[in-house]
């Protein structure tokens, strides 16, 4: 299931990110990739150890922690620190799969990458090309979102960023381990939660059916969650 999560960052926050990013050096994106992906990856990244990377990443993680739709869709257990990349002058990242296991920085904690996230930091009209193309069981999905919006997709998907033929595409990308490993189970929980939220608005929180469905939601999380 692919989710579009709008307004993770405000336009003011995007402007702040873009301004600060202009002050630092970008490096070759091959530093963070697996051996197989190296052949198809051609872009630039902020140094993952740079204080600005950590500062902007912390802002994203704070906003995500308060974003109800993101939480409902991802049910995150651990989110890896966000990275930042830039594509211009024909740069691209051809079809690849993301590594299944990554390490939390400065720790021995392993993270299984269940979901991949991209937050767009350039407006669609600022560049040509640069679509994120995600392949799933329904075919190919081309994604290009307004600045500040996030796309969430299963890390099992083969995906690419098409060549940026003019302008510049800046984004943040990161991975997370979900409490719910299986995409199908996570999707059912998302649909159930959205229905509960709609019924709460129509019937009120104290309605007995709302309480029963909320109980069902939490009992399914008890059954499926790995924490
Ligand atoms: Ni990738």
């Amino acid at each position: 299931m692919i989710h579009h999560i709008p307004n993770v960052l405000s336009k003011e926050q995007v402007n702040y990110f873009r301004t600060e990013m202009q002050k630092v050096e970008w490096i070759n994106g091959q530093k963070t990739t697996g051996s197989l992906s190296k052949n198809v990856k051609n872009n630039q990244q902020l140094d993952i150890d740079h204080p600005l990377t950590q500062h902007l990443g912390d802002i994203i993680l704070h906003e995500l922690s308060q974003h109800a739709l993101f939480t409902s869709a991802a049910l995150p257990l651990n989110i890896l620190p966000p990275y930042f990349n830039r594509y211009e002058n024909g740069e691209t990242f051809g079809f690849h799969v993301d590594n299944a296991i990554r390490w939390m920085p400065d720790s021995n904690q392993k993270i299984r990458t269940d979901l991949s996230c991209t937050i767009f930091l350039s407006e669609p009209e600022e560049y040509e090309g640069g679509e994120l193309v995600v392949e799933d069981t329904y075919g190919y999905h081309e994604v290009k979102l307004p600045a500040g919006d996030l796309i969430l997709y299963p890390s099992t998907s083969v995906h690419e960023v098409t060549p940026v033929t003019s302008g510049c595409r800046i984004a943040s990308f990161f991975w997370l381990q979900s409490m719910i490993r299986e995409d199908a189970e996570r999707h059912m929980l998302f649909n159930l939660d959205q229905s509960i939220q709609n019924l709460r608005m129509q019937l009120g929180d104290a309605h007995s059916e709302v309480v029963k469905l909320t109980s069902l939601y939490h009992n399914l999380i008890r059954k499926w969650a790995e924490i």
Side-chain angles (χ1 to χ4, degrees):
M1 177 74 181
I2 299 173
H3 292 275
H4 171 192
I5 314 285
N7 304 317
V8 167
L9 296 176
S10 67
K11 297 299 182 193
E12 291 73 25
Q13 286 173 313
V14 169
N15 286 340
Y16 173 70
F17 277 48
R18 296 273 300 265
T19 303
E20 294 303 306
M21 285 171 168
Q22 282 175 358
K23 299 174 184 170
V24 301
E25 189 188 354
W26 292 75
I27 60 173
N28 190 315
Q30 298 211 338
K31 220 181 159 188
T32 55
T33 201
S35 56
L36 199 65
S37 300
K38 270 202 167 72
N39 298 323
V40 293
K41 186 175 189 182
N42 177 21
N43 67 2
Q44 307 156 55
Q45 276 182 210
L46 285 189
D47 190 335
I48 58 175
D49 294 323
H50 195 287
L52 181 65
T53 307
Q54 296 175 10
H55 169 58
L56 299 181
D58 286 345
I59 294 173
I60 289 173
L61 294 176
H62 175 74
E63 295 301 331
L64 290 175
S65 72
Q66 302 183 332
H67 202 295
L69 187 63
F70 172 81
T71 303
S72 180
L75 293 169
L77 176 63
N78 284 303
I79 306 177
L80 283 150
Y83 296 160
F84 299 89
N85 60 17
R86 184 169 79 175
Y87 297 79
E88 55 191 353
N89 301 321
E91 288 174 325
T92 181
F93 194 167
F95 275 112
H96 66 281
V97 285
D98 297 338
N99 288 353
I101 305 293
R102 302 189 76 94
W103 274 260
M104 271 292 186
D106 305 321
S107 87
N108 290 324
Q109 188 182 8
K110 294 190 189 80
I111 303 293
R112 187 187 64 232
T113 56
D114 293 323
L115 290 166
S116 302
C117 306
T118 297
I119 300 178
F120 289 76
L121 296 172
S122 301
E123 297 293 355
E125 56 272 20
E126 289 184 82
Y127 58 98
E128 301 281 343
E131 286 86 3
L132 173 66
V133 181
V134 180
E135 183 185 11
D136 70 7
T137 49
Y138 298 104
Y140 292 93
H141 304 268
E142 282 194 8
V143 182
K144 187 189 268 196
L145 298 179
D149 286 14
L150 180 149
I151 194 82
L152 183 70
Y153 59 97
S155 302
T156 50
S157 314
V158 175
H159 55 277
E160 70 165 344
V161 176
T162 64
V164 173
T165 53
S166 75
C168 177
R169 176 197 193 271
I170 299 174
S172 174
F173 65 100
F174 50 98
W175 299 270
L176 65 89
Q177 180 168 338
S178 176
M179 291 187 286
I180 309 298
R181 180 178 194 153
E182 294 295 330
D183 193 55
E185 292 170 354
R186 204 183 313 111
H187 187 198
M188 284 190 281
L189 287 168
F190 174 75
N191 286 336
L192 178 56
D193 186 40
Q194 295 306 300
S195 289
I196 291 170
Q197 301 311 323
N198 290 335
L199 285 175
R200 283 176 66 188
M201 283 192 281
Q202 292 170 35
L203 303 174
D205 288 357
H207 194 285
S208 64
E209 299 305 319
V210 171
V211 175
K212 279 186 209 166
L213 286 175
T214 304
S215 167
L216 175 62
Y217 176 76
H218 286 285
N219 288 339
L220 285 171
I221 289 184
R222 271 187 199 94
K223 182 176 171 61
W224 288 334
E226 300 169 15
I227 54 175

